[in-house]
Amino acid sequence: MRVPVSWLFQRLDGLFAVYKPPGVHWKLVRDTVEANVLKALNSVPPPAPQQQVKFIPSSTQGLDGSTELTLTATSVPALVDHPLVKGPQFHKVRVGVGHRLDALSSGILVLAVGQGNKWLTGLQSSHVTRDYTLEGEFGKATEDFSHTGRLIERSTYDHITRDNLERLLAVMQGANHKALLLYSNVDLCSQEAYELAVKGSLLPQEKSPPILTGLRCLHFQPPKFTLEVQCVNETQRFLRKLVHEVGLELRSTAHCTGVRRIRDGPFTLKDALTHKHWTLPAITEAIKQSRSAWKKQAAKDSSSLRTPQTQNKQEDHTSNGASAAVPD
Amino acid sequence: MASVRVWQRCSGLLLSRTVLSVPVPNQRLRLILRGSTPLLLSEQSRLRAFALSHAAGQNESGPSSPTANRLVPNRALTEPLPVLEDLDGAPPLSPFEELSEEEAVQIVATPPLPPVSTSLRDYVAQSETLSALVQLGVNLSKLDHRPNVGSMLLRLDLQQVQERLLFLRDLGLQDSDLGPLITRNPFILTETLENLRARVSYLQSRRFSVEAVGSMVRRAPYLLNFSVQRLDNRLGFLQKELGLSPHKTRDIVTRLPRLVCGSLEPVKENLRVYELELGFRPNEIQHIVTRIPKLLTANKRRLTETFDYIHNTMAVPHMLIVKFPQVLNTSLLRIKERHLFLQHLGKAQYDPTLPGYISLDQLAALPDPAFCAQLAAASLEDFELFQKML
């Protein structure tokens, strides 16, 4: 059975996550996805062409020798609607990109198709947290804090211990927690603030500088180390600078060799599509799943109704990550 | 009113996009163009009656004024009115002519053609040439976007098109090839047949076989639009720059005919890149180019990046890259992912003298499932998980 194209379009409205490989610009990812979707949509056979009515005159000899003229009406498919004349059915699919990833970093990139672009703005304005893993290396400092930048300083790193590093990270997180309280726009002495803090969904309500809500060391083997970060309103450059500052605070230098986003709001690595799967069927499936997860979460929220602040899924979802990170 | 609006829209388009101008194909169309709406038969006869009465009125008023009588003596009775006279010089339909039923039935009132348009769609139904081209498989919607192509196609004569197509058929092209070929190079329809023949015979004199010329024209449609002089220059340039024997040059050009049609500057630059930046010796370059001619037109930056990764990160010597030049043609992401996966498994070993050798050819060319099964001995899911770890 032929699936009408309008159905395909309706199924496409929504959000999904792709895994952006390092070294590829996010715009290229978006354009590839758009091109693939368009190609698949245009390969669906077009609707039947309009019929054009033509009158074909024919003359017949009457019985008494007179000629009779008759016009026969026939309908032929109009050439104007021929696929080669009309061109592809679709020229554009609206594909939007969530919080960006720069070319050097890799990880989850949220894309929206069609009506999903509206939800994307909702996702952005809800100030969800994102998880990153940062690969760092002690001993060198570079100009743009990444491994590709110009080298500006070398130093020793033998004196650094894991204990040192963790103590520093705790201090940094404390400072960020204060900033979080400042930007979350709630009165600290209120019941509301208490409830939010208990739930861990204390988040900046409007524009704020980048704030780390969680920071820990995953792996330490000098000169290499790996940090796990939860944050809001960040840029990848900010995270690289964080690694650089960690190096400076430990009386050494460090640069970042990799930024990898492992969660963006509700989207985790599990449902991200690798570049082999940026095709229409896989994207439709991913969108379907994210929609059903969304609905399930909304139903859960409305049934519990404990916190009036929790309006949508992302805020609630972030609470898991944030509560683990924010110390009491 | 409607025509004014159409005109405004068209003039708006005129400013914004390329506009096709229509040569009016025959008299019938010209007649129709004068009326702004399609006329039904009854309307047409009513119009004629009106024209008749109008002419009679003029005739009656004629004798009363002596000047008019002197200037146009009895003209209105025998000849059509000057108002109705066709400015284009075509014999007009006389209002006094008796129309038989049969003729009246055969008058077809088609909607008027727009004098200017941004798309060939408006003319397809009424242009024989265009409809023939569509039947052939030419994608007119793609040609719409190209400057000057639309008006060129509309001016074409069907006979002229047929001759060119038969010529192409004689070169050994299939019917299914002709549509895509004209979509890519519609200008082959405006070349004179003598020129086309001269170019084909030039190529044959350079010892390209008939089949080779056919397949070259199919893959590089602009080949026959180059004059014999230019073709000769270009072939000479390639042979001189590559320093290859005529036989090998011919082989390369047959396999990648767009080398002759495209710009030659990138080819020259790429050869310098191979020699100076990547450090290949001249005979190595010749070997690479004869194996994969496409590397001559590859993007310089991509080429250097890929080579840098293969040579400096994967530590593959020049000698092996020359042996398997197709790795230079593979996307860097693909090589990177596979190399890192093999490294993760401890299998990244590209030295043919040691055990566990993995050839660059297989690394680059195998599709994902075969790569996982044969080289990595891992499952495809593992590879995908690894891709998400990068």
Side-chain angles (χ1 to χ4, degrees):
Chain A
M1 200 193 83
R2 234 177 64 184
V3 184
V5 178
S6 55
W7 288 14
L8 285 180
F9 249 113
Q10 276 176 11
R11 285 185 209 164
L12 265 180
D13 290 338
L15 301 173
F16 69 103
V18 295
Y19 191 88
K20 185 187 94 66
V24 179
H25 199 268
W26 61 263
K27 212 165 195 162
L28 189 65
V29 174
R30 184 212 158 274
D31 289 351
T32 317
V33 167
E34 190 192 7
N36 288 353
V37 168
L38 264 185
K39 205 172 166 190
L41 284 178
N42 279 328
S43 66
V44 174
Q50 269 187 358
Q51 297 289 315
Q52 189 183 21
V53 180
K54 271 195 175 173
F55 295 99
I56 297 166
S58 60
S59 56
T60 46
Q61 283 286 336
L63 287 172
D64 51 343
S66 64
T67 55
E68 263 184 50
L69 280 165
T70 47
L71 283 176
T72 347
T74 54
S75 64
V76 287
L79 207 53
V80 176
D81 282 346
H82 197 283
L84 287 179
V85 179
K86 212 176 171 186
Q89 294 182 75
F90 306 101
H91 295 275
K92 206 176 142 192
V93 177
R94 278 166 63 216
V95 179
V97 185
H99 197 268
R100 313 277 195 265
L101 277 174
D102 61 7
L104 280 178
S105 44
S106 63
I108 288 177
L109 186 68
V110 178
L111 296 181
V113 185
Q115 296 295 313
N117 283 289
K118 290 178 191 166
W119 307 330
L120 197 61
T121 31
L123 187 71
Q124 270 164 349
S125 60
S126 62
H127 301 283
V128 290
T129 59
R130 286 171 275 267
D131 287 9
Y132 287 84
T133 53
L134 308 176
E135 310 271 335
E137 200 174 321
F138 287 119
K140 284 181 201 166
T142 56
E143 211 167 40
D144 62 350
F145 317 126
S146 75
H147 59 291
T148 53
R150 196 167 64 85
L151 186 70
I152 48 174
E153 203 181 333
R154 276 177 197 277
S155 60
T156 56
Y157 47 84
D158 299 333
H159 58 278
I160 302 172
T161 60
R162 187 175 182 129
D163 205 28
N164 272 343
L165 180 64
E166 275 173 358
R167 206 175 303 148
L168 173 72
L169 294 183
V171 170
M172 286 177 125
Q173 197 185 333
N176 274 285
H177 193 64
K178 264 183 196 154
L180 183 64
L181 291 177
L182 186 68
Y183 284 98
S184 60
N185 267 358
V186 283
D187 186 3
L188 265 190
C189 308
S190 63
Q191 176 71 17
E192 183 194 350
Y194 169 73
E195 275 172 8
L196 281 176
V198 163
K199 270 180 67 68
S201 52
L202 206 56
L203 284 173
Q205 294 305 309
E206 53 209 39
K207 259 190 163 177
S208 80
I211 295 175
L212 308 176
T213 55
L215 181 62
R216 68 193 180 104
C217 175
L218 279 185
H219 178 250
F220 181 77
Q221 196 175 35
K224 298 200 171 170
F225 63 101
T226 311
L227 304 179
E228 193 186 61
V229 178
Q230 276 114 29
C231 47
V232 275
N233 296 337
E234 79 293 349
T235 61
Q236 282 79 46
R237 193 184 155 80
F238 165 78
L239 295 173
R240 290 199 191 97
K241 198 175 175 190
L242 178 79
V243 173
H244 176 77
E245 277 166 5
V246 165
L248 290 185
E249 291 290 329
L250 292 172
R251 317 220 170 161
S252 172
T253 46
H255 68 277
C256 186
T257 53
V259 178
R260 182 167 155 256
R261 187 194 281 167
I262 52 175
R263 182 180 65 81
D264 185 350
F267 295 97
T268 52
L269 271 185
K270 195 165 64 62
D271 30 52
L273 302 175
T274 50
H275 59 93
K276 276 277 172 293
H277 297 282
W278 297 347
T279 55
L280 185 64
I283 289 174
T284 317
E285 187 56 33
I287 285 175
K288 196 175 143 196
Q289 278 181 9
S290 81
R291 270 180 175 181
S292 65
W294 191 289
K295 268 183 202 155
K296 227 180 271 170
Q297 193 64 36
K300 214 173 167 187
D301 284 353
S302 60
S303 66
S304 65
L305 274 181
R306 279 228 318 267
T307 49
Q309 265 73 29
T310 319
Q311 278 139 3
N312 52 26
K313 181 195 173 189
Q314 304 101 27
E315 282 194 5
D316 199 54
H317 214 286
T318 52
S319 63
N320 309 329
S323 61
V326 177
D328 296 321
Chain B
M1 203 48 216
S3 66
V4 170
R5 227 178 298 136
V6 167
W7 184 84
Q8 280 172 344
R9 220 179 63 201
C10 290
S11 62
L13 287 171
L14 211 150
L15 295 173
S16 62
R17 281 184 65 179
T18 51
V19 169
L20 315 168
S21 65
V22 202
V24 181
N26 58 28
Q27 184 207 344
R28 186 181 286 166
L29 283 181
R30 207 171 293 159
L31 282 171
I32 291 155
L33 272 175
R34 255 190 277 146
S36 61
T37 49
L39 301 173
L40 293 175
L41 277 183
S42 58
E43 276 184 344
Q44 225 167 18
S45 54
R46 237 183 292 141
L47 198 79
R48 185 168 297 168
F50 168 76
L52 268 175
S53 67
H54 192 65
Q58 261 206 358
N59 200 23
E60 276 163 21
S61 69
S64 63
S65 65
T67 48
N69 204 14
R70 228 182 298 134
L71 284 173
V72 264
N74 287 332
R75 240 189 107 170
L77 277 175
T78 52
E79 281 175 24
L81 290 170
V83 194
L84 291 176
E85 200 171 72
D86 190 13
L87 294 172
D88 294 329
L93 206 60
S94 163
F96 294 103
E97 198 183 311
E98 277 289 322
L99 268 186
S100 68
E101 270 298 294
E102 207 168 329
E103 277 176 341
V105 164
Q106 278 169 4
I107 293 177
V108 183
T110 42
L113 284 178
V116 284
S117 169
T118 53
S119 159
L120 285 169
R121 253 188 107 178
D122 303 332
Y123 307 111
V124 164
Q126 287 166 53
S127 159
E128 266 183 58
T129 322
L130 286 186
S131 43
L133 287 177
V134 171
Q135 303 298 341
L136 193 69
V138 178
N139 196 336
L140 291 186
S141 67
K142 275 189 186 165
L143 292 177
D144 273 346
H145 306 295
R146 299 182 53 180
N148 303 331
V149 170
S151 11
M152 185 273 285
L153 283 181
L154 280 170
R155 278 199 207 94
L156 282 180
D157 185 26
L158 194 57
Q159 179 70 27
Q160 191 188 349
V161 175
Q162 271 170 358
E163 281 170 5
R164 308 292 182 282
L165 293 179
L166 285 176
F167 174 79
L168 290 174
R169 277 274 298 275
D170 290 344
L171 281 180
L173 275 82
Q174 299 299 312
D175 284 350
S176 54
D177 300 332
L178 292 176
L181 184 136
I182 292 171
T183 309
R184 281 171 69 193
N185 178 14
F187 295 105
I188 203 165
L189 297 177
T190 55
E191 284 287 341
T192 59
L193 275 178
E194 296 88 72
N195 277 347
L196 293 179
R197 287 203 186 100
R199 285 157 200 177
V200 169
S201 60
Y202 165 75
L203 287 174
Q204 281 169 358
S205 78
R206 287 275 156 267
R207 302 247 214 104
F208 287 100
S209 66
V210 184
E211 300 86 59
V213 173
S215 81
M216 277 160 70
V217 172
R218 198 186 73 236
R219 285 182 293 154
Y222 274 94
L223 190 71
L224 292 185
N225 280 40
F226 284 77
S227 68
V228 171
Q229 182 66 46
R230 275 188 92 188
L231 279 178
D232 191 41
N233 284 345
R234 285 171 164 249
L235 289 177
F237 169 86
L238 285 177
Q239 190 174 345
K240 210 180 95 201
E241 281 295 318
L242 302 175
L244 291 172
S245 68
H247 174 74
K248 283 200 168 167
T249 319
R250 213 157 32 231
D251 181 49
I252 288 179
V253 171
T254 320
R255 280 161 62 200
L256 190 75
R258 71 184 153 91
L259 211 56
V260 187
C261 298
S263 166
L264 293 177
E265 195 57 35
V267 175
K268 213 171 175 178
E269 278 177 16
N270 269 11
L271 285 172
R272 296 288 163 280
V273 167
Y274 281 118
E275 195 180 339
L276 302 174
E277 269 190 63
L278 311 188
F280 286 108
R281 283 194 292 275
N283 62 335
E284 288 176 336
I285 299 174
Q286 284 178 353
H287 186 81
I288 290 177
V289 164
T290 40
R291 286 286 301 279
I292 313 276
K294 200 184 161 192
L295 285 174
L296 276 177
T297 54
N299 182 358
K300 254 189 315 182
R301 217 195 66 212
R302 240 198 62 193
L303 203 62
T304 356
E305 274 177 358
T306 316
F307 178 83
D308 179 45
Y309 192 80
I310 296 171
H311 187 66
N312 296 333
T313 313
M314 287 163 66
V316 177
H318 280 81
M319 193 197 71
L320 271 181
I321 298 179
V322 173
K323 217 170 169 187
F324 303 111
Q326 53 271 52
V327 277
L328 290 179
N329 201 14
T330 320
S331 91
L332 178 59
L333 185 63
R334 188 184 172 101
I335 293 180
K336 220 186 228 174
E337 275 174 0
R338 293 183 170 195
H339 167 68
L340 289 174
F341 188 50
L342 289 177
Q343 208 176 32
H344 181 71
L345 297 173
K347 289 180 181 173
Q349 206 284 96
Y350 307 109
D351 190 348
T353 54
L354 298 175
Y357 164 65
I358 282 172
S359 87
L360 286 180
D361 180 26
Q362 283 188 317
L363 182 81
L366 284 181
D368 269 351
F371 164 76
C372 290
Q374 293 173 25
L375 299 188
S379 67
L380 196 59
E381 290 80 50
D382 286 345
F383 184 50
E384 268 165 27
L385 274 183
F386 182 78
Q387 282 178 333
K388 290 187 188 177
M389 297 280 294
L390 290 179

